[in-house]
Amino acid sequence: MTNSAFVKQIDNRNFLSGVGFKFNLTKFPKVDFFSNSARIPELNLELAQQSSYLKNISVPGERLTYGDFTLRFLVDENMENYLAVYGWLKGLGFPESGKQFKEIITDSDGQRDPKVAFCDGTLSIQNSNYREVAKVKFNDLFPISLTSLDFDATNTDVQYLTAEATFKYTIYDLVSSVT
């Protein structure tokens, strides 16, 4: 006979660490983003107002709003990860030629597909043993900003450059990997 009070208890009493995660994009499988900061975006439920004699009452609405996804990453020595986001952003926003825009919206078969400008991404969350416990799957990501890189020859210690990219997306799903 099991005690019902113990059935409702959490099995694993360890806390989730903020250092166990990795991020990848389907559009750039060869580019490792060396992520050093990521945040699962906020999720908000819009409210509806129910009229009442004395006071309007808030009730759950019908629409969710999602915050932006921001990723801070170490820039690799060849700048591949930074240039990948830079080229993607520039191709979407202000291509210098028709060819540059065409590259952004052409699939691997050479067919024009505006959906190719977007891609899916996955933020894998890891436990203290660096085993995946959950995934945040972003659908239809596209960049909206990329921070500058600050070079400074007066630094006495080596400081590796980091950049921050902000993305919009259609929706994200948080899926547990623990069975």
Side-chain angles (χ1 to χ4, degrees):
M1 183 170 160
T2 59
N3 188 337
S4 63
F6 293 113
V7 173
K8 296 179 182 179
Q9 295 295 316
I10 296 172
D11 291 334
N12 185 346
R13 298 235 177 227
N14 294 324
F15 299 109
L16 185 62
S17 169
V19 299
F21 68 96
K22 61 183 177 178
F23 181 73
N24 62 42
L25 287 171
T26 57
K27 190 175 194 75
F28 304 107
K30 292 182 180 179
V31 176
D32 184 348
F33 273 85
F34 300 114
S35 309
N36 58 6
S37 173
R39 181 184 321 150
I40 298 173
E42 67 271 9
L43 181 63
N44 296 300
L45 178 64
E46 290 184 6
L47 300 175
Q49 294 294 318
Q50 179 179 340
S51 295
S52 162
Y53 175 70
L54 297 174
K55 174 188 174 216
N56 288 342
I57 300 169
S58 295
V59 295
E62 298 175 350
R63 186 176 307 152
L64 291 173
T65 56
Y66 296 85
D68 296 340
F69 174 61
T70 302
L71 176 74
R72 189 170 57 233
F73 58 95
L74 288 162
V75 178
D76 67 278
E77 189 171 62
N78 294 330
M79 294 180 62
E80 288 182 64
N81 52 7
Y82 188 86
L83 289 170
V85 177
Y86 171 82
W88 187 11
L89 189 59
K90 193 164 182 185
L92 287 172
F94 192 68
E96 294 174 359
S97 67
K99 181 179 182 257
Q100 191 178 24
F101 181 70
K102 184 179 177 186
E103 288 172 359
I104 294 292
I105 63 164
T106 303
D107 66 15
S108 59
D109 296 329
Q111 301 295 316
R112 291 189 78 185
D113 182 3
K115 194 92 166 123
V116 176
F118 308 104
C119 84
D120 295 340
T122 304
L123 177 66
S124 298
I125 301 167
Q126 301 166 343
N127 66 11
S128 58
N129 295 322
Y130 295 101
R131 290 197 175 106
E132 184 178 282
V133 294
K135 285 184 181 180
V136 182
K137 296 179 179 183
F138 295 93
N139 294 338
D140 301 332
L141 279 165
F142 63 95
I144 59 169
S145 72
L146 179 63
T147 59
S148 61
L149 293 178
D150 298 326
F151 294 90
D152 186 354
T154 63
N155 286 335
T156 56
D157 292 331
V158 175
Q159 294 181 1
Y160 298 106
L161 296 178
T162 61
E164 200 168 90
T166 302
F167 298 89
K168 291 282 189 186
Y169 52 92
T170 306
I171 194 169
Y172 76 79
D173 289 313
L174 179 58
V175 181
S176 175
S177 300
V178 180
T179 54

PDB file of all heavy atoms in Angstrom, residues 156-175:
ATOM      1  N   THR A 156      44.260  44.289 -21.661  1.00  0.00           N
ATOM      2  CA  THR A 156      45.498  43.600 -21.299  1.00  0.00           C
ATOM      3  C   THR A 156      45.322  42.086 -21.259  1.00  0.00           C
ATOM      4  O   THR A 156      46.284  41.354 -21.416  1.00  0.00           O
ATOM      5  CB  THR A 156      46.007  44.094 -19.924  1.00  0.00           C
ATOM      6  OG1 THR A 156      44.973  43.903 -18.962  1.00  0.00           O
ATOM      7  CG2 THR A 156      46.406  45.560 -19.997  1.00  0.00           C
ATOM      8  N   ASP A 157      44.115  41.622 -21.038  1.00  0.00           N
ATOM      9  CA  ASP A 157      43.809  40.193 -21.051  1.00  0.00           C
ATOM     10  C   ASP A 157      43.012  39.864 -22.300  1.00  0.00           C
ATOM     11  O   ASP A 157      42.309  40.711 -22.844  1.00  0.00           O
ATOM     12  CB  ASP A 157      42.981  39.798 -19.827  1.00  0.00           C
ATOM     13  CG  ASP A 157      43.759  39.914 -18.532  1.00  0.00           C
ATOM     14  OD1 ASP A 157      44.992  39.764 -18.571  1.00  0.00           O
ATOM     15  OD2 ASP A 157      43.124  40.169 -17.493  1.00  0.00           O
ATOM     16  N   VAL A 158      43.115  38.621 -22.722  1.00  0.00           N
ATOM     17  CA  VAL A 158      42.316  38.183 -23.868  1.00  0.00           C
ATOM     18  C   VAL A 158      40.862  38.092 -23.439  1.00  0.00           C
ATOM     19  O   VAL A 158      40.540  37.409 -22.457  1.00  0.00           O
ATOM     20  CB  VAL A 158      42.798  36.815 -24.397  1.00  0.00           C
ATOM     21  CG1 VAL A 158      41.881  36.312 -25.497  1.00  0.00           C
ATOM     22  CG2 VAL A 158      44.223  36.905 -24.878  1.00  0.00           C
ATOM     23  N   GLN A 159      40.010  38.792 -24.127  1.00  0.00           N
ATOM     24  CA  GLN A 159      38.573  38.723 -23.871  1.00  0.00           C
ATOM     25  C   GLN A 159      37.905  38.304 -25.172  1.00  0.00           C
ATOM     26  O   GLN A 159      37.950  39.037 -26.152  1.00  0.00           O
ATOM     27  CB  GLN A 159      38.038  40.073 -23.392  1.00  0.00           C
ATOM     28  CG  GLN A 159      38.592  40.477 -22.049  1.00  0.00           C
ATOM     29  CD  GLN A 159      38.026  41.803 -21.569  1.00  0.00           C
ATOM     30  OE1 GLN A 159      37.208  42.431 -22.212  1.00  0.00           O
ATOM     31  NE2 GLN A 159      38.477  42.212 -20.400  1.00  0.00           N
ATOM     32  N   TYR A 160      37.332  37.133 -25.153  1.00  0.00           N
ATOM     33  CA  TYR A 160      36.714  36.608 -26.364  1.00  0.00           C
ATOM     34  C   TYR A 160      35.418  37.354 -26.643  1.00  0.00           C
ATOM     35  O   TYR A 160      34.672  37.702 -25.724  1.00  0.00           O
ATOM     36  CB  TYR A 160      36.497  35.102 -26.240  1.00  0.00           C
ATOM     37  CG  TYR A 160      37.813  34.370 -26.074  1.00  0.00           C
ATOM     38  CD1 TYR A 160      38.187  33.842 -24.848  1.00  0.00           C
ATOM     39  CD2 TYR A 160      38.686  34.243 -27.142  1.00  0.00           C
ATOM     40  CE1 TYR A 160      39.401  33.199 -24.699  1.00  0.00           C
ATOM     41  CE2 TYR A 160      39.894  33.602 -27.005  1.00  0.00           C
ATOM     42  CZ  TYR A 160      40.254  33.084 -25.777  1.00  0.00           C
ATOM     43  OH  TYR A 160      41.458  32.449 -25.630  1.00  0.00           O
ATOM     44  N   LEU A 161      35.168  37.589 -27.907  1.00  0.00           N
ATOM     45  CA  LEU A 161      34.013  38.378 -28.297  1.00  0.00           C
ATOM     46  C   LEU A 161      32.720  37.575 -28.216  1.00  0.00           C
ATOM     47  O   LEU A 161      32.688  36.400 -28.568  1.00  0.00           O
ATOM     48  CB  LEU A 161      34.193  38.923 -29.712  1.00  0.00           C
ATOM     49  CG  LEU A 161      35.361  39.899 -29.898  1.00  0.00           C
ATOM     50  CD1 LEU A 161      35.463  40.336 -31.346  1.00  0.00           C
ATOM     51  CD2 LEU A 161      35.204  41.102 -28.994  1.00  0.00           C
ATOM     52  N   THR A 162      31.688  38.238 -27.762  1.00  0.00           N
ATOM     53  CA  THR A 162      30.351  37.657 -27.750  1.00  0.00           C
ATOM     54  C   THR A 162      29.428  38.553 -28.553  1.00  0.00           C
ATOM     55  O   THR A 162      29.663  39.749 -28.695  1.00  0.00           O
ATOM     56  CB  THR A 162      29.787  37.514 -26.316  1.00  0.00           C
ATOM     57  OG1 THR A 162      29.701  38.799 -25.722  1.00  0.00           O
ATOM     58  CG2 THR A 162      30.643  36.593 -25.470  1.00  0.00           C
ATOM     59  N   ALA A 163      28.392  37.958 -29.068  1.00  0.00           N
ATOM     60  CA  ALA A 163      27.365  38.690 -29.806  1.00  0.00           C
ATOM     61  C   ALA A 163      26.010  38.203 -29.320  1.00  0.00           C
ATOM     62  O   ALA A 163      25.894  37.126 -28.725  1.00  0.00           O
ATOM     63  CB  ALA A 163      27.505  38.460 -31.308  1.00  0.00           C
ATOM     64  N   GLU A 164      25.008  38.997 -29.568  1.00  0.00           N
ATOM     65  CA  GLU A 164      23.651  38.640 -29.174  1.00  0.00           C
ATOM     66  C   GLU A 164      22.750  38.766 -30.397  1.00  0.00           C
ATOM     67  O   GLU A 164      22.775  39.793 -31.078  1.00  0.00           O
ATOM     68  CB  GLU A 164      23.197  39.589 -28.058  1.00  0.00           C
ATOM     69  CG  GLU A 164      22.056  39.068 -27.248  1.00  0.00           C
ATOM     70  CD  GLU A 164      21.838  39.894 -25.995  1.00  0.00           C
ATOM     71  OE1 GLU A 164      21.076  40.863 -26.069  1.00  0.00           O
ATOM     72  OE2 GLU A 164      22.442  39.560 -24.956  1.00  0.00           O
ATOM     73  N   ALA A 165      21.992  37.733 -30.654  1.00  0.00           N
ATOM     74  CA  ALA A 165      21.035  37.728 -31.759  1.00  0.00           C
ATOM     75  C   ALA A 165      19.638  37.570 -31.179  1.00  0.00           C
ATOM     76  O   ALA A 165      19.418  36.780 -30.266  1.00  0.00           O
ATOM     77  CB  ALA A 165      21.328  36.584 -32.724  1.00  0.00           C
ATOM     78  N   THR A 166      18.713  38.348 -31.710  1.00  0.00           N
ATOM     79  CA  THR A 166      17.321  38.263 -31.284  1.00  0.00           C
ATOM     80  C   THR A 166      16.492  37.741 -32.443  1.00  0.00           C
ATOM     81  O   THR A 166      16.664  38.182 -33.581  1.00  0.00           O
ATOM     82  CB  THR A 166      16.807  39.641 -30.820  1.00  0.00           C
ATOM     83  OG1 THR A 166      17.652  40.096 -29.747  1.00  0.00           O
ATOM     84  CG2 THR A 166      15.372  39.555 -30.317  1.00  0.00           C
ATOM     85  N   PHE A 167      15.592  36.811 -32.134  1.00  0.00           N
ATOM     86  CA  PHE A 167      14.787  36.151 -33.155  1.00  0.00           C
ATOM     87  C   PHE A 167      13.298  36.295 -32.859  1.00  0.00           C
ATOM     88  O   PHE A 167      12.880  36.273 -31.705  1.00  0.00           O
ATOM     89  CB  PHE A 167      15.106  34.650 -33.199  1.00  0.00           C
ATOM     90  CG  PHE A 167      16.520  34.320 -33.561  1.00  0.00           C
ATOM     91  CD1 PHE A 167      17.505  34.220 -32.583  1.00  0.00           C
ATOM     92  CD2 PHE A 167      16.870  34.090 -34.873  1.00  0.00           C
ATOM     93  CE1 PHE A 167      18.807  33.905 -32.900  1.00  0.00           C
ATOM     94  CE2 PHE A 167      18.176  33.767 -35.211  1.00  0.00           C
ATOM     95  CZ  PHE A 167      19.143  33.674 -34.227  1.00  0.00           C
ATOM     96  N   LYS A 168      12.523  36.400 -33.909  1.00  0.00           N
ATOM     97  CA  LYS A 168      11.073  36.230 -33.850  1.00  0.00           C
ATOM     98  C   LYS A 168      10.791  34.812 -34.333  1.00  0.00           C
ATOM     99  O   LYS A 168      11.614  34.182 -34.999  1.00  0.00           O
ATOM    100  CB  LYS A 168      10.343  37.234 -34.761  1.00  0.00           C
ATOM    101  CG  LYS A 168      10.426  38.668 -34.309  1.00  0.00           C
ATOM    102  CD  LYS A 168       9.477  38.913 -33.180  1.00  0.00           C
ATOM    103  CE  LYS A 168       9.386  40.401 -32.874  1.00  0.00           C
ATOM    104  NZ  LYS A 168       8.586  40.669 -31.701  1.00  0.00           N
ATOM    105  N   TYR A 169       9.620  34.308 -34.050  1.00  0.00           N
ATOM    106  CA  TYR A 169       9.238  32.951 -34.439  1.00  0.00           C
ATOM    107  C   TYR A 169       7.722  32.861 -34.398  1.00  0.00           C
ATOM    108  O   TYR A 169       7.044  33.748 -33.883  1.00  0.00           O
ATOM    109  CB  TYR A 169       9.878  31.918 -33.492  1.00  0.00           C
ATOM    110  CG  TYR A 169       9.602  32.226 -32.051  1.00  0.00           C
ATOM    111  CD1 TYR A 169       8.510  31.682 -31.397  1.00  0.00           C
ATOM    112  CD2 TYR A 169      10.401  33.124 -31.340  1.00  0.00           C
ATOM    113  CE1 TYR A 169       8.229  31.996 -30.080  1.00  0.00           C
ATOM    114  CE2 TYR A 169      10.128  33.441 -30.025  1.00  0.00           C
ATOM    115  CZ  TYR A 169       9.039  32.881 -29.404  1.00  0.00           C
ATOM    116  OH  TYR A 169       8.765  33.207 -28.109  1.00  0.00           O
ATOM    117  N   THR A 170       7.193  31.786 -34.928  1.00  0.00           N
ATOM    118  CA  THR A 170       5.751  31.587 -34.939  1.00  0.00           C
ATOM    119  C   THR A 170       5.256  31.100 -33.583  1.00  0.00           C
ATOM    120  O   THR A 170       4.324  31.643 -33.005  1.00  0.00           O
ATOM    121  CB  THR A 170       5.345  30.568 -36.020  1.00  0.00           C
ATOM    122  OG1 THR A 170       5.878  30.996 -37.266  1.00  0.00           O
ATOM    123  CG2 THR A 170       3.851  30.451 -36.133  1.00  0.00           C
ATOM    124  N   ILE A 171       5.893  30.051 -33.092  1.00  0.00           N
ATOM    125  CA  ILE A 171       5.463  29.419 -31.843  1.00  0.00           C
ATOM    126  C   ILE A 171       6.626  28.594 -31.306  1.00  0.00           C
ATOM    127  O   ILE A 171       7.530  28.229 -32.049  1.00  0.00           O
ATOM    128  CB  ILE A 171       4.228  28.511 -32.083  1.00  0.00           C
ATOM    129  CG1 ILE A 171       3.554  28.103 -30.781  1.00  0.00           C
ATOM    130  CG2 ILE A 171       4.568  27.320 -32.937  1.00  0.00           C
ATOM    131  CD1 ILE A 171       2.192  27.430 -30.981  1.00  0.00           C
ATOM    132  N   TYR A 172       6.613  28.341 -30.020  1.00  0.00           N
ATOM    133  CA  TYR A 172       7.562  27.369 -29.479  1.00  0.00           C
ATOM    134  C   TYR A 172       6.816  26.362 -28.628  1.00  0.00           C
ATOM    135  O   TYR A 172       5.769  26.647 -28.072  1.00  0.00           O
ATOM    136  CB  TYR A 172       8.712  28.028 -28.710  1.00  0.00           C
ATOM    137  CG  TYR A 172       8.412  28.552 -27.326  1.00  0.00           C
ATOM    138  CD1 TYR A 172       8.332  27.700 -26.219  1.00  0.00           C
ATOM    139  CD2 TYR A 172       8.247  29.908 -27.100  1.00  0.00           C
ATOM    140  CE1 TYR A 172       8.088  28.188 -24.948  1.00  0.00           C
ATOM    141  CE2 TYR A 172       7.994  30.410 -25.827  1.00  0.00           C
ATOM    142  CZ  TYR A 172       7.920  29.544 -24.759  1.00  0.00           C
ATOM    143  OH  TYR A 172       7.664  30.025 -23.494  1.00  0.00           O
ATOM    144  N   ASP A 173       7.408  25.167 -28.568  1.00  0.00           N
ATOM    145  CA  ASP A 173       6.873  24.094 -27.731  1.00  0.00           C
ATOM    146  C   ASP A 173       7.960  23.650 -26.767  1.00  0.00           C
ATOM    147  O   ASP A 173       9.105  23.450 -27.169  1.00  0.00           O
ATOM    148  CB  ASP A 173       6.446  22.883 -28.584  1.00  0.00           C
ATOM    149  CG  ASP A 173       5.203  23.175 -29.390  1.00  0.00           C
ATOM    150  OD1 ASP A 173       4.245  23.720 -28.820  1.00  0.00           O
ATOM    151  OD2 ASP A 173       5.187  22.868 -30.591  1.00  0.00           O
ATOM    152  N   LEU A 174       7.601  23.511 -25.525  1.00  0.00           N
ATOM    153  CA  LEU A 174       8.496  23.006 -24.496  1.00  0.00           C
ATOM    154  C   LEU A 174       8.131  21.548 -24.272  1.00  0.00           C
ATOM    155  O   LEU A 174       7.009  21.236 -23.863  1.00  0.00           O
ATOM    156  CB  LEU A 174       8.350  23.819 -23.208  1.00  0.00           C
ATOM    157  CG  LEU A 174       9.199  23.429 -22.013  1.00  0.00           C
ATOM    158  CD1 LEU A 174      10.679  23.466 -22.338  1.00  0.00           C
ATOM    159  CD2 LEU A 174       8.892  24.345 -20.844  1.00  0.00           C
ATOM    160  N   VAL A 175       9.080  20.654 -24.570  1.00  0.00           N
ATOM    161  CA  VAL A 175       8.807  19.218 -24.544  1.00  0.00           C
ATOM    162  C   VAL A 175       9.779  18.546 -23.576  1.00  0.00           C
ATOM    163  O   VAL A 175      10.986  18.730 -23.687  1.00  0.00           O
ATOM    164  CB  VAL A 175       8.971  18.613 -25.952  1.00  0.00           C
ATOM    165  CG1 VAL A 175       8.671  17.124 -25.946  1.00  0.00           C
ATOM    166  CG2 VAL A 175       8.104  19.337 -26.957  1.00  0.00           C
TER     167      VAL A 175
END
